């Protein structure tokens, strides 16, 4: 087959948006969803995976862009909330730290990278919970993400992000996350996320 010439888009921003919309509109193969543990329905697992893929659509050429796309979703579970009426969603992702470009001047994984991945995973978790409870499945807006770091991470480590939702209502969303170094068997960071659902666009006022 003859390779087709690649045409550089006249507006790179439009190209990024097109790729993001394509990610959300195309189904995830059943073979991938079947490999994800947890009791959540396949469509809920799919929403979580799609949004994680969505965040990596720009494929940024920076220390973060290429490596963050290597996240693997290992579990999506739904359980009854023991404290109130509703459900709790657990989203677990794993990521190998294999690129030296992710390290800071001390030779340790940059905290900024952990924070960025954490932001993506908690956002995907609350969006998936909202979808599971009758929402649109559209990601909302981050308002705050308070993060505490406990231990450094070495090159070659495998990280696990365990996201547990607190709420996903039409008014607010909340999720906590624990980041574990599976190689050293120790806690790396914890995060507490607060957000809000996206609002529908308003019609322009008539003058």
């Amino acid at each position: 087959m003859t390779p087709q010439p690649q045409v550089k888009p006249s507006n790179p921003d439009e190209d990024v948006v097109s790729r993001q919309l394509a990610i959300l509109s195309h189904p995830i193969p059943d073979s991938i969803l079947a490999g994800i543990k947890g009791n959540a329905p396949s469509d809920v697992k799919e929403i979580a995976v799609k949004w994680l893929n969505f965040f990596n659509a720009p494929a940024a050429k920076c220390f973060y862009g290429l490596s963050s796309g290597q996240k693997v979703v290992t579990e999506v579970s739904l359980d009854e909330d023991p404290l109130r009426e509703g459900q709790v969603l657990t989203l677990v992702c794993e990521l190998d730290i294999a690129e030296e470009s992710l390290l800071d001047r001390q030779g340790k994984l940059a905290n900024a990278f952990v924070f960025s991945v954490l932001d993506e995973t908690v956002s995907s978790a609350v969006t998936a919970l909202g979808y599971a409870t009758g929402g649109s499945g559209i990601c909302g807006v981050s308002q705050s993400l308070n993060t505490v770091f406990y231990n450094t991470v070495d090159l070659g480590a495998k990280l696990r992000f365990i996201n547990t939702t607190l709420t996903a209502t039409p008014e607010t969303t909340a999720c906590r996350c624990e980041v574990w170094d599976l190689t050293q068997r120790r806690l790396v960071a914890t995060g507490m996320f607060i957000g809000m659902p996206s609002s529908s666009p308003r019609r322009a006022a008539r003058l």
Side-chain angles (χ1 to χ4, degrees):
M1 179 183 242
T2 304
Q4 296 297 318
Q6 294 184 354
V7 179
K8 186 176 181 180
S10 57
N11 188 337
D13 291 335
E14 291 182 358
D15 183 57
V16 169
V17 172
S18 297
R19 279 184 284 165
Q20 290 175 325
L21 293 176
I23 287 172
L24 296 179
S25 60
H26 285 70
I28 301 295
D30 291 338
S31 58
I32 293 179
L33 298 177
I36 300 175
K37 298 178 181 178
N39 63 354
S42 293
D43 59 337
V44 176
K45 293 179 179 179
E46 183 175 41
I47 285 292
V49 174
K50 280 185 174 182
W51 278 105
L52 287 173
N53 291 341
F54 176 92
F55 293 130
N56 296 120
K61 294 181 179 179
C62 62
F63 84 101
Y64 167 77
L66 298 178
S67 298
S68 66
Q70 304 302 313
K71 294 185 296 293
V72 176
V73 177
T74 60
E75 179 184 347
V76 182
S77 296
L78 279 171
D79 299 289
E80 294 300 319
D81 193 324
L83 300 179
R84 63 177 180 84
E85 183 178 351
Q87 292 182 302
V88 173
L89 184 138
T90 301
L91 169 63
V92 181
C93 305
E94 295 183 357
L95 176 63
D96 292 320
I97 307 304
E99 299 293 333
E100 291 187 5
S101 60
L102 301 177
L103 305 182
D104 59 20
R105 292 182 179 180
Q106 286 71 45
K108 303 296 182 180
L109 179 65
N111 287 347
F113 179 80
V114 176
F115 180 88
S116 298
V117 176
L118 199 156
D119 188 25
E120 294 179 353
T121 59
V122 292
S123 298
S124 298
V126 295
T127 303
L129 176 62
Y131 176 82
T133 53
S136 63
I138 300 300
C139 190
V141 180
S142 300
Q143 294 180 300
S144 67
L145 180 53
N146 295 320
T147 308
V148 179
F149 293 91
Y150 305 97
N151 289 290
T152 57
V153 178
D154 296 322
L155 184 67
K158 178 184 285 290
L159 297 186
R160 176 177 291 166
F161 294 77
I162 305 174
N163 306 272
T164 307
T165 60
L166 300 176
T167 187
T169 69
E171 293 77 30
T172 188
T173 58
C175 184
R176 66 176 180 268
C177 179
E178 297 179 357
V179 184
W180 287 88
D181 183 339
L182 299 184
T183 305
Q184 297 293 333
R185 300 181 64 84
R186 63 188 184 186
L187 184 64
V188 174
T190 55
M192 179 64 197
F193 166 85
I194 302 293
M196 62 180 291
S198 300
S199 58
S200 301
R202 296 181 179 179
R203 294 183 179 180
R206 298 182 64 183
L207 299 179

